[in-house]
Amino acid sequence: LISLQKLRGLDQINTRNGDIQLGALTTHRAVEQSEAVRSRIPSLAETYAHVATIRIRNVATVGGALAHADPNQDPPVILLALDARVQLTSTAGSRQVPIGEFFTDYYETVRQPDELVTEVVVPGLKPHSGSVYLKFLPRTADDYATVGVAATVTIDPASGTCQDCRIAMGSVASTPVRAPEAETVIRGQRLTPELAREAGALGQRVTDPISDARGSADYKRAMAGVFVRRALEQAWQRAQAAG
């Protein structure tokens, strides 16, 4: 077991070209409280505030949590909806991996044995965009989610239709997953209750949950559909408010 705490520069939050750069040793609490994150990507700060308790958030790190690759965690879901990239570094150099390609299975990633997670790069929201993460908690507030869903939408201000959409879900498969069919049905359309329900049903198709103390597989699949709809509605509202 090797501690990385004395590596300099890995516990900082920086901005560059509109992106948010989270050092791997940045704590969850630091992301939650960062003014740069809260002003540019509020949903990112909100998601980190959902993790466990303050005591845990003061210790848990951005890079450590991602490398652990627990599919029930909250941050990977919003990071997937925001199209983040994970930087991996070894003595041979560095490479950036889209977070959608980073996780491969339960507690497994593409990280090689000689690589460290050193940074997470989160693109800033485009104009007229909104993003949200919703965590369904039937038990206690510091528990893992039964289902976690994040959505990011960009609206054309002239037509009121969706220009882009990303939907991500957690706790419903061996890795966080996108809902590409649901995204496709939303793009180019105005959001209606019927369309949101259709997207929720399409999102359910990519889920493969397991039954555990937080709910049966069927229950999680049903709640995934419900929370895809709710996340889309709330992200849409934020996009409209963004002006």
Side-chain angles (χ1 to χ4, degrees), residues 47-113:
T47 302
Y48 276 93
H50 277 303
V51 178
T53 64
I54 289 179
R55 286 186 295 178
I56 291 174
R57 295 197 296 273
N58 275 323
V59 177
T61 63
V62 169
L66 291 183
H68 183 50
D70 187 329
N72 298 306
Q73 293 183 89
D74 304 302
V77 184
I78 189 64
L79 290 172
L80 185 55
L82 292 169
D83 200 22
R85 306 182 300 277
V86 181
Q87 182 165 302
L88 299 171
T89 303
S90 70
T91 55
S94 297
R95 62 183 177 125
Q96 284 194 352
V97 178
I99 196 162
E101 301 172 11
F102 181 70
F103 303 104
T104 58
D105 207 338
Y106 285 106
Y107 306 104
E108 294 183 8
T109 72
V110 298
R111 186 185 64 83
Q112 297 301 305

Side-chain angles (χ1 to χ4, degrees), residues 13-22 36 40-41 82-83 85 96 119-125:
I13 299 174
N14 297 306
T15 59
R16 185 173 63 188
N17 299 327
D19 295 346
I20 297 287
Q21 299 171 304
L22 306 176
R40 288 173 170 80
I41 315 177
L82 292 169
D83 200 22
R85 306 182 300 277
Q96 284 194 352
E119 187 176 76
V120 177
V121 180
V122 188
L125 289 174

Side-chain angles (χ1 to χ4, degrees), residues 29-241:
R29 183 68 167 165
V31 180
E32 171 190 352
Q33 294 185 310
S34 167
E35 183 56 37
V37 177
R38 293 168 67 178
S39 62
R40 288 173 170 80
I41 315 177
S43 60
L44 187 60
E46 293 164 0
T47 302
Y48 276 93
H50 277 303
V51 178
T53 64
I54 289 179
R55 286 186 295 178
I56 291 174
R57 295 197 296 273
N58 275 323
V59 177
T61 63
V62 169
L66 291 183
H68 183 50
D70 187 329
N72 298 306
Q73 293 183 89
D74 304 302
V77 184
I78 189 64
L79 290 172
L80 185 55
L82 292 169
D83 200 22
R85 306 182 300 277
V86 181
Q87 182 165 302
L88 299 171
T89 303
S90 70
T91 55
S94 297
R95 62 183 177 125
Q96 284 194 352
V97 178
I99 196 162
E101 301 172 11
F102 181 70
F103 303 104
T104 58
D105 207 338
Y106 285 106
Y107 306 104
E108 294 183 8
T109 72
V110 298
R111 186 185 64 83
Q112 297 301 305
D114 62 340
E115 290 181 315
L116 296 175
V117 176
T118 51
E119 187 176 76
V120 177
V121 180
V122 188
L125 289 174
K126 298 176 183 177
H128 311 290
S129 294
S131 180
V132 71
Y133 171 71
L134 300 181
K135 180 177 183 177
F136 178 43
L137 281 164
R139 304 207 306 179
T140 62
D142 60 345
D143 196 7
Y144 282 125
T146 293
V147 171
V149 177
T152 300
V153 297
T154 302
I155 296 175
D156 181 344
S159 65
T161 59
C162 177
Q163 289 182 319
D164 195 17
C165 175
R166 293 176 66 91
I167 301 168
M169 297 177 286
S171 301
V172 295
S174 60
T175 68
V177 293
R178 291 269 300 277
E181 290 184 348
E183 295 169 353
T184 299
V185 80
I186 295 294
R187 292 190 184 101
Q189 303 296 320
R190 292 174 179 268
L191 188 67
T192 65
E194 294 75 19
L195 188 64
R197 284 194 291 270
E198 181 182 356
L202 292 170
Q204 290 176 312
R205 294 183 181 181
V206 298
T207 65
D208 185 23
I210 60 173
S211 298
D212 57 22
R214 299 178 187 90
S216 68
D218 287 343
Y219 182 61
K220 292 179 180 181
R221 189 174 292 109
M223 289 300 100
V226 170
F227 277 81
V228 164
R229 173 177 58 81
R230 293 180 182 178
L232 280 171
E233 291 171 344
Q234 293 189 30
W236 200 281
Q237 290 172 359
R238 290 187 173 189
Q240 291 176 321

